[in-house]
Amino acid sequence: MSSATFGRLGFLLRWLGITLVVLLLLQLAVLLPLWNWAEEGYRQLFVDRLVTQSPMALVGVLLMLFGGRLDNPMSGRTPLRWVVAALSAVLAIALLVAVPMSISGDRAMADQTDQSLAAKKGQLEMARAQMENPEAIQQFVKQAEQAGQLPAQGTDEQKRQMVKELMGRQLDQAEQQLRQQERARDLAVNQRRIGGTGTAVVLAVSFVLVALAALL
């Protein structure tokens, strides 16, 4: 390939890289009018946006670096390479700052979900305890009779037994749903821990390496 072809390819790669970096900045700029750093939800939204869009910017700075090297393979630290190093350093610092915020967000989400699940467990245990309370069962029998869920010709004992069986099925379904919610909680926490915090660390290291490569 001729030097002119390398020059055109380098020009194309540079602008493709710049475009990808600008797209990241635009994604973050959307949140600036709503700036409220004191709110936990806003911080987590900003961190999530930064982490999920940073791989695009990583490809962008790499394309800028490759394009610059194709243009001037023997040159030293050109202005473009300084720009790549600066952008990579800024993004690396931003991602390192995002790591503790992501960890705190993971913990807050887990605590909130645990409280909700604990409340549901408490309600489920109270409902099971009521099944051993004759007065509560009698009250449920009256409610079921008013709703037309019990046959009018059944004895009191039969009605109580039917109510217990109905309540047992409902409580079993509620317990199954609670287990599903616990599994969903564990999956969400692991996904945020690995896909969020872990990704932020890997990206920060990658941007540091790109910054160093740009200065070599």
Side-chain angles (χ1 to χ4, degrees), residues 140-142 144-145 147-153 158-160 162-163 166:
F140 291 141
V141 168
K142 292 180 180 179
E145 287 177 339
Q149 296 176 325
L150 296 177
Q153 66 276 14
Q158 290 174 337
K159 291 179 181 180
R160 285 193 292 270
M162 293 177 65
V163 165
L166 177 62

Side-chain angles (χ1 to χ4, degrees), residues 6-81:
F6 278 118
R8 288 193 293 270
L9 181 58
F11 177 82
L12 178 61
L13 290 178
R14 284 201 314 273
W15 280 103
L16 282 175
I18 292 171
T19 300
L20 293 177
V21 174
V22 169
L23 286 176
L24 168 65
L25 298 178
L26 290 175
Q27 290 291 327
L28 297 178
V30 172
L31 301 177
L32 294 181
L34 305 175
W35 186 267
N36 187 6
W37 198 251
E39 183 181 350
E40 177 68 22
Y42 180 86
R43 292 200 301 270
Q44 292 307 313
L45 177 61
F46 191 91
V47 169
D48 289 344
R49 186 70 58 87
L50 175 64
V51 173
T52 55
Q53 300 299 321
S54 286
M56 176 176 62
L58 178 61
V59 175
V61 293
L62 286 172
L63 289 176
M64 292 169 64
L65 183 59
F66 292 155
R69 289 188 178 276
L70 284 176
D71 274 348
N72 302 294
M74 303 303 294
S75 62
R77 295 175 181 175
T78 62
L80 177 64
R81 292 173 67 177

Side-chain angles (χ1 to χ4, degrees), residues 106 109-111 113-114 117 121 177-195:
D106 295 345
M109 186 190 74
D111 291 342
T113 306
D114 288 343
L117 291 176
K121 283 182 179 179
Q177 292 175 355
L178 185 60
R179 287 196 295 267
Q180 292 175 350
Q181 292 173 359
E182 288 176 340
R183 288 193 294 268
R185 183 271 316 274
D186 295 338
L187 178 61
V189 170
N190 290 334
Q191 183 177 2
R192 283 185 60 87
R193 182 178 296 122
I194 298 173

Side-chain angles (χ1 to χ4, degrees), residues 133-150:
N133 186 345
E135 295 181 359
I137 292 295
Q138 190 60 37
Q139 184 64 31
F140 291 141
V141 168
K142 292 180 180 179
Q143 293 175 358
E145 287 177 339
Q146 293 174 358
Q149 296 176 325
L150 296 177

